[in-house]
Every structure is written in C-alpha cells, then in structure tokens.
C-alpha cells in the first residue's frame, strides 16, 4: 500500500495497542512502525530497476523479518522510553503487530509480497485492492485526526481508533466480496462464449474496488476487459493482447529479462515500439484501458535501454487524466 495508508493505519493501531501506556507517542511510533518494511526502497539507489522490482516487498516483507526485528525494536524502545515503563512483551507486541499488518495488507494488491523469503520466492497477491484506495484511507485518516486533537485522557480515544480500523476492515471485506462477484460473472461469460483459457486474474482499477480489470490467458496471449459490480450486461467486452514470445529472443539483456519474467508471474507481453523492444507486465493495468481502445500498459520496461526505466510499476498510470477522463472513469464505475 502507499505510504499515507501505512501512516494512518499505524497511528490507529498504535493508539489501540499502547495509547494508554505511552499517550500520543503511540501515534507517531505507530506511523513509523508501519513503514519499517518499506525501508527496502533504499535498494533502488544501488540496484538496477529489474533487480529492485524483486528486492521491494522481498525479505523486509517476510514473516521471518517480522519475528527478527520486533524484539530488537522492543529492546531499543525500552531504553529510549524508560519513563513510560511499558513492559518488554508489550513493546514486542506493538512492533510485531505493526509489521505483520503491513506485510498482510500489502498482499491485497497486485505487486505481490514475499511472506516466505528467503526460503521461497513465492509472492502472495490477493488482488482485491488497488495500491491506494481513497475509501480505505478516509476512515483511518479521520480517526487519526481525532486522535491528534483529543486529549490523552479522553476516554473516547480508543473508540476512535477502533472506528477507523473497523470501517477500513469492513471495506477490505467488501473488496473480497466484489472480487468474488466479478470472478463469478467472468467464469459464466467465458463458459457461455466457449472461450478456452488457462487461468485468469482480476484486480481493481485505480482508487476503488468497484471497477475491475480482467486478464484471461490462453496459449498465445490474453483476453483483456473491464467489469463494474454495477454492470447490467452479462457480457464482458474483451480485446486481445498477443504474448509475442518470439520478440524476446532478440534481446541481449537476458539477466533483466529473467528478472522481469519472474516478477510478472507469467502475465507479460512483448511489443516493438518503433525500434524499441518493450516488456509489458500486464498485472498493473492499462493506461485508461476502460476508455481507450488497445492502450499501452502501465508497467512497461525498455529492454534495450535499462537506464530509462524509472518509476516502472506506476509509469504513465495517470497519463491523460483530465476532467473528461475522470468523468468517463466515474461513469464506467457506475456500470454499463
């Protein structure tokens, strides 16, 4: 998830766990704790982009990392905050819960989270939430604001923390329910149209969990479409993207390609843009794909120019998002 989400989530969890013991420091420490796993972004300063994709949400997002780091931070906290006299076990619980919640919530979007590193490179992806979702953040942000305003001895502080956490948890469950609805209609549609596929992926479009992006894979490529939970039509309109594996045999950057293939989890397509060979990771969606026919994919890597691949996952995510684009996006969320 995005940094702001982790900050307000951490503040609410911090108040719920340690507000009575350490007061408003629980908000600040909670916000810090929630972002500790994302310290792996520092790797981007010395790793090439293709390697950085795998380093992010790798070991620092693993269960082992949480078990190792929580006691160390607890010992440091006891030394730094002696006056608060919070028990060591409580500190371990404080840091451990924050880190576990971070790696848990990150697994709900498409990037994938390395829970089992370094023993397994398998990445957990539930694909039920976009990396930043306004409706998930709002109750947490409002609750965090109330916790900043209310005095330490106010008896309603913990209630506000649990309101923020409860509302966001319910929204998380709504995302899971919406995914089940979308998957059900997709399977029905594919069966009715007699479309043979190997597997499929459904994941939310930006900032919501009502309009979903769909990839259905067959032997040579992918059927790509969109469906809103409010769509009245039972038929999903697909366009087709060829995988174009043959194009990848011409690259001289085998190491980069190997990393990209692993990162994409097999959802990829190659293209030629003029004289440039491009590797697309399909999981992160298309640039205004619900509106623009045959658009470019958000996550694309220039195989011949490795140094030109900054901000890869979100490259062009909101390109062309003017007032008209936003209006058509909201209209598409409302259903066909």
């Amino acid at each position: 998830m995005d940094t702001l989400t982790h900050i307000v989530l951490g503040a609410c969890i911090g108040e719920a766990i340690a507000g009575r013991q350490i007061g408003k420091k629980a908000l600040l420490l909670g916000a810090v704790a929630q972002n500790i796993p994302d310290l792996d972004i520092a790797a981007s300063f010395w790793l090439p982009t293709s390697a950085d994709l795998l380093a992010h949400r790798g070991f620092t997002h693993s269960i082992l990392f949480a078990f190792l780091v929580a006691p160390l931070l607890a010992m440091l906290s006891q030394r730094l905050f002696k006056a608060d006299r919070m028990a060591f076990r409580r500190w371990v619980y404080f840091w451990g819960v924050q880190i576990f919640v971070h790696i848990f919530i990150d697994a709900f979007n498409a990037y994938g989270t390395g829970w089992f590193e370094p023993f397994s490179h398998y990445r957990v992806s539930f694909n039920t939430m976009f990396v930043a979702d306004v409706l998930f953040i709002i109750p947490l942000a409002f609750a965090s604001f109330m916790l900043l305003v209310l005095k330490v001895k106010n008896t309603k502080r913990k209630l506000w923390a649990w309101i923020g956490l409860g509302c966001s948890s319910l929204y998380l469950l709504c995302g899971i329910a919406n995914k089940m609805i979308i998957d059900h209609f997709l399977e029905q549609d594919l069966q009715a149209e007699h479309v043979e596929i190997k597997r499929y992926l459904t994941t939310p479009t930006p900032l919501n969990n009502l309009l979903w992006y769909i990839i259905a894979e067959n032997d040579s490529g992918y059927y790509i479409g969109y469906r809103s939970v409010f769509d009245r039509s039972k038929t999903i309109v697909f366009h087709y993207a060829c995988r174009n594996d043959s194009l990848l045999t011409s690259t001289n950057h085998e190491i980069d390609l190997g990393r990209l293939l692993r990162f994409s989890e097999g959802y990829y397509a190659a293209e030629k843009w003029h004289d440039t060979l491009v590797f697309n990771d399909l999981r992160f969606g298309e640039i205004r794909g619900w509106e623009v026919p045959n658009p470019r994919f958000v996550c694309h890597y220039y195989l011949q120019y490795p140094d030109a691949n900054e901000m890869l996952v979100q490259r062009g995510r909101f390109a062309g998002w003017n007032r008209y684009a936003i209006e058509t996006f909201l209209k598409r969320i409302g259903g066909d």
Side-chain angles (χ1 to χ4, degrees):
M1 305 304 291
D2 66 294
T3 302
L4 177 59
T5 297
H6 286 303
I7 287 173
V8 293
L9 179 59
C12 289
I13 294 174
E15 175 63 33
I17 293 175
R20 289 182 181 177
Q21 289 84 1
I22 62 176
K24 291 191 178 183
K25 284 198 290 287
L27 306 181
L28 177 60
L29 291 176
V32 170
Q34 263 293 306
N35 282 282
I36 283 175
D38 282 342
L39 291 175
D40 60 8
I41 61 172
S44 63
F45 292 111
W46 68 84
L47 288 178
T49 300
S50 61
D52 183 43
L53 288 171
L54 295 171
H56 183 47
R57 296 201 186 178
F59 178 68
T60 63
H61 285 66
S62 68
I63 296 170
L64 177 61
F65 177 82
F67 274 114
L68 292 175
V69 170
L72 296 176
L73 291 171
M75 286 189 288
L76 179 63
S77 299
Q78 270 205 317
R79 291 189 176 185
L80 293 176
F81 305 106
K82 289 181 181 179
D84 294 311
R85 297 182 180 179
M86 193 158 85
F88 176 74
R89 285 186 180 181
R90 194 73 177 178
W91 278 116
V92 173
Y93 180 62
F94 178 89
W95 293 102
V97 167
Q98 294 280 11
I99 295 172
F100 270 111
V101 168
H102 180 117
I103 66 175
F104 176 71
I105 204 75
D106 272 4
F108 280 79
N109 54 57
Y111 196 101
T113 306
W115 283 2
F116 310 112
E117 294 281 0
F119 309 109
S120 170
H121 295 318
Y122 173 76
R123 296 226 167 184
V124 181
S125 303
F126 301 137
N127 294 301
T128 62
M129 186 182 295
F130 187 70
V131 67
D133 192 313
V134 177
L135 293 180
F136 183 79
I137 296 172
I138 285 175
L140 292 168
F142 187 75
S144 297
F145 172 76
M146 293 302 298
L147 292 172
L148 282 172
V149 171
L150 293 174
K151 293 182 179 180
V152 174
K153 294 183 179 180
N154 192 303
T155 57
K156 294 183 179 179
R157 289 182 60 81
K158 183 164 283 193
L159 174 63
W160 275 109
W162 282 111
I163 287 174
L165 294 170
C167 289
S168 292
S169 297
L170 285 174
Y171 185 74
L172 202 65
L173 292 174
C174 286
I176 296 171
N178 286 341
K179 183 178 178 66
M180 293 173 67
I181 292 169
I182 297 298
D183 288 356
H184 172 72
F185 279 112
L186 172 60
E187 290 171 5
Q188 278 193 334
D189 191 30
L190 292 172
Q191 187 176 12
E193 298 294 325
H194 304 289
V195 177
E196 294 287 336
I197 65 163
K198 296 165 63 176
R199 58 176 179 164
Y200 66 81
L201 180 147
T202 57
T203 193
T205 54
L207 309 175
N208 76 105
N209 67 18
L210 299 173
L211 178 62
W212 291 69
Y213 167 67
I214 297 166
I215 311 170
E217 180 185 11
N218 68 5
D219 290 333
S220 59
Y222 312 87
Y223 296 95
I224 297 175
Y226 295 84
R227 184 174 179 92
S228 168
V229 294
F230 300 121
D231 279 353
R232 292 168 289 279
S233 172
K234 292 184 178 180
T235 303
I236 300 169
V237 177
F238 290 104
H239 62 272
Y240 195 76
C242 291
R243 189 179 294 108
N244 295 323
D245 286 298
S246 59
L247 292 177
L248 298 176
T249 60
S250 64
T251 182
N252 295 320
H253 299 275
E254 291 84 1
I255 294 176
D256 283 345
L257 177 59
R259 291 167 178 159
L260 293 168
L261 289 170
R262 176 182 151 196
F263 177 68
S264 69
E265 299 178 356
Y267 287 104
Y268 69 91
E271 289 182 301
K272 269 289 187 75
W273 295 358
H274 303 295
D275 63 340
T276 303
L277 180 59
V278 177
F279 181 98
N280 296 302
D281 187 326
L282 277 58
R283 297 171 301 152
F284 299 97
E286 302 171 308
I287 301 174
R288 293 170 58 190
W290 53 88
E291 176 192 357
V292 179
N294 297 314
R296 289 183 174 180
F297 293 97
V298 168
C299 183
H300 51 273
Y301 186 96
Y302 307 125
L303 278 165
Q304 293 155 289
Y305 307 103
D307 295 333
N309 289 297
E310 296 181 2
M311 294 296 293
L312 182 65
V313 172
Q314 299 298 336
R315 172 184 284 164
R317 166 67 71 186
F318 296 105
W321 275 56
N322 52 26
R323 180 177 176 178
Y324 173 76
I326 294 171
E327 288 175 352
T328 55
F329 179 56
L330 293 175
K331 183 178 179 181
R332 183 64 190 88
I333 289 175
D336 280 343

